Amino acid sequence: MKRYVVGGVGVAGLVVLGGLAWLFNSLVLAWATTLFVVALIAGTAFYRKFRQRFATSSSHTTSHSTATKPAVESHATDDVDPGVDDSQDLAELMLKQGRYTLLLRPQIAESIPSQVLTRAQQMLDDEMTLVPSGETIVGKGMNDSADLPEHLDGRVVHVEGFYLDRYQVTNDQFQRFVDAGGYEQLALWDPEIVPAILEFVDSTGISGPRYWKNGTYLSGQANHPVVGVCWYEAAAYARWVGKRLPTDPEWVKSGSWPVPLPGARPIQRKFPWGEAFDQNKTNLWGSGRGGTAPVDEFTDGMSVGGAHQLIGNVWEWTSSRFGAWQSGANPLVLDASMRSVRGGAFDTYFEAQASCDFQSGDKAVARKRNIGFRCAIGLCDLIPDESMQAEETPAQVETHEEFAEVTQ
């Protein structure tokens, strides 16, 4: 009986090799199929978890958005038309989150429908006050010597026109930032603080302001200023919402509302309402509250431009370092991590520490129950609005004239 040989391998050998090849291919196919099924199951589980988390986050955000100031609520509760395109869907979401200034930036506005831009502009007008460009004195009254020459009592600084929040940022507004994953979006944070973000948690260990519980603010505190946030948290929120923290000169100018005088230093108010202290116009220690108040209370103490509670309720972070704008007559050597805070708080006892001139400071990582913030944005960062000019209204001019007569 002949034995057939093919290429040096017998028929029996071919049968064996073919069987091994079939077995190998079967094992590879089974392995690949298993991987595919596992990936499919994992992907499905991830998708379901993502959808559930997104729905929960959206529901949480919606439940809190109804507790904001009426000016925000009237814009933030409009339903999204299911027939609009993706860009309008995103624009609607940003309006609900209070991120209207992002839509008004030149790079974005050109792709946004005109009716959405109109609503964003209306929200800007309702929620922020326009502070015109001009000079202001920063560091006035910070020196101990009563005989100090006027030209050394503070520095005259030019400030470009800008918008400032009418109200301090509330718990409800900050909740939207938390729900949107603001503590997980590293691009919003200053690079040096990224390793410490995990330490910025509430009283139950969840990312958020220090005195919150279970990732949300305490009941009845929706319209109170958010506190227990450090300078870095305030700056990250400001970036997310499309704004920034005001500089020290901007904050002083918005509160003191200087009266420009030709050939002389401007005249500016000691308090937003005038020269005389009045504890009924602000939430300080003498008001007897013992804690924060809703941001829209104490309307008699608002500034000429319409900013509420620049004095009292909570200290406010600015973007400037503590001492950066002091007079050169008595320079201070300070820790570079100290940031400026302005305005006094509910527990401020001394009247002198609750004026437009007084500057205090704290560590940038401090998360205290009496420090909050408000946001600003430069006029040059937004699309032009023909209905709003960086000039004073007739009422503001009249107020200036009356103030100048009293102080001269």
Side-chain angles (χ1 to χ4, degrees):
M1 186 174 181
K2 296 182 179 180
R3 172 179 291 179
Y4 293 92
V5 179
V6 180
V9 180
V11 174
L14 288 176
V15 173
V16 172
L17 290 176
L20 291 174
W22 176 84
L23 179 60
F24 175 79
N25 290 335
S26 298
L27 290 174
V28 170
L29 180 61
W31 176 74
T33 303
T34 302
L35 282 182
F36 175 78
V37 172
V38 170
L40 181 61
I41 293 174
T44 302
F46 174 82
Y47 176 75
R48 288 176 178 174
K49 183 177 180 180
F50 174 81
R51 287 292 301 272
Q52 182 179 9
R53 179 177 180 181
F54 179 80
T56 303
S57 176
S58 300
S59 175
H60 196 188
T61 302
T62 303
S63 66
H64 285 287
S65 66
T66 58
T68 62
K69 303 183 295 297
V72 175
E73 183 178 13
S74 62
H75 297 282
T77 56
D78 295 336
D79 293 330
V80 179
D81 183 353
V84 298
D85 57 24
D86 292 342
S87 63
Q88 188 162 344
D89 283 343
L90 179 58
E92 293 285 350
L93 175 61
M94 293 172 73
L95 287 178
K96 288 184 177 181
Q97 292 175 328
R99 305 168 76 190
Y100 49 87
T101 54
L102 284 172
L103 302 178
L104 295 173
R105 290 182 177 271
Q107 305 92 326
I108 299 177
E110 59 185 14
S111 62
I112 303 298
S114 59
Q115 65 271 22
V116 176
L117 287 180
T118 299
R119 291 170 56 200
Q121 185 65 55
Q122 184 60 52
M123 292 181 71
L124 174 72
D125 298 340
D126 290 344
E127 295 302 305
M128 305 191 79
T129 175
L130 178 62
V131 182
S133 63
E135 294 183 336
T136 189
I137 303 174
V138 184
K140 182 178 176 63
M142 292 180 63
N143 298 281
D144 297 331
S145 176
D147 300 325
L148 194 69
E150 183 185 63
H151 71 280
L152 292 178
D153 190 14
R155 294 172 56 185
V156 177
V157 180
H158 180 79
V159 176
E160 296 295 335
F162 69 101
Y163 282 96
L164 182 74
D165 285 348
R166 293 184 185 274
Y167 306 93
Q168 295 156 341
V169 174
T170 66
N171 283 306
D172 179 70
Q173 290 172 322
F174 202 85
Q175 181 79 64
R176 302 171 193 171
F177 168 73
V178 174
D179 291 343
Y183 282 84
E184 302 164 10
Q185 300 178 37
L186 300 186
L188 297 173
W189 297 79
D190 288 71
E192 69 269 18
I193 202 62
V194 168
I197 294 177
L198 294 178
E199 299 177 18
F200 298 150
V201 296
D202 64 18
S203 60
T204 56
I206 299 176
S207 295
R210 179 179 178 182
Y211 302 102
W212 286 16
K213 291 183 178 180
N214 300 314
T216 189
Y217 53 82
L218 302 182
S219 177
Q221 300 287 306
N223 207 31
H224 285 234
V226 62
V227 295
V229 291
C230 70
W231 184 90
Y232 290 104
E233 290 169 280
Y237 170 89
R239 293 188 187 100
W240 177 78
V241 85
K243 304 176 186 179
R244 57 175 172 77
L245 296 179
T247 66
D248 240 35
E250 286 176 339
W251 192 98
V252 173
K253 190 176 193 303
S254 62
S256 61
W257 208 267
V259 178
L261 297 176
R265 288 155 60 95
I267 300 174
Q268 53 191 48
R269 295 161 177 78
K270 186 174 182 180
F271 305 101
W273 55 85
E275 284 295 286
F277 177 74
D278 188 343
Q279 69 178 20
N280 296 317
K281 294 183 177 180
T282 179
N283 182 23
L284 299 172
W285 184 88
S287 304
R289 289 295 186 96
T292 61
V295 298
D296 52 1
E297 289 191 5
F298 298 95
T299 56
D300 290 341
M302 77 170 113
S303 70
V304 175
H308 293 245
Q309 297 186 22
L310 283 168
I311 297 298
N313 214 15
V314 292
W315 292 96
E316 299 180 12
W317 291 113
T318 76
S319 64
S320 303
R321 296 188 183 277
F322 178 50
W325 298 97
Q326 64 184 313
S327 169
N330 189 22
L332 299 175
V333 179
L334 299 170
D335 187 337
S337 67
M338 294 282 287
R339 298 289 177 169
S340 170
V341 294
R342 291 276 183 174
F346 63 85
D347 56 356
T348 299
Y349 182 83
F350 295 103
E351 169 189 326
Q353 296 179 351
S355 69
C356 297
D357 299 326
F358 185 81
Q359 181 196 51
S360 187
D362 214 323
K363 294 278 191 179
V365 293
R367 310 178 79 214
K368 297 184 176 179
R369 64 174 65 252
N370 62 352
I371 302 180
F373 68 101
R374 73 179 74 215
C375 300
I377 187 169
L379 199 59
C380 61
D381 294 324
L382 304 174
I383 58 174
D385 178 25
E386 297 179 357
S387 65
M388 294 292 292
Q389 300 295 329
E391 299 178 356
E392 299 172 19
T393 66
Q396 292 170 349
V397 172
E398 182 179 354
T399 303
H400 275 348
E401 293 174 349
E402 293 176 352
F403 180 70
E405 290 177 1
V406 171
T407 55
Q408 288 179 340

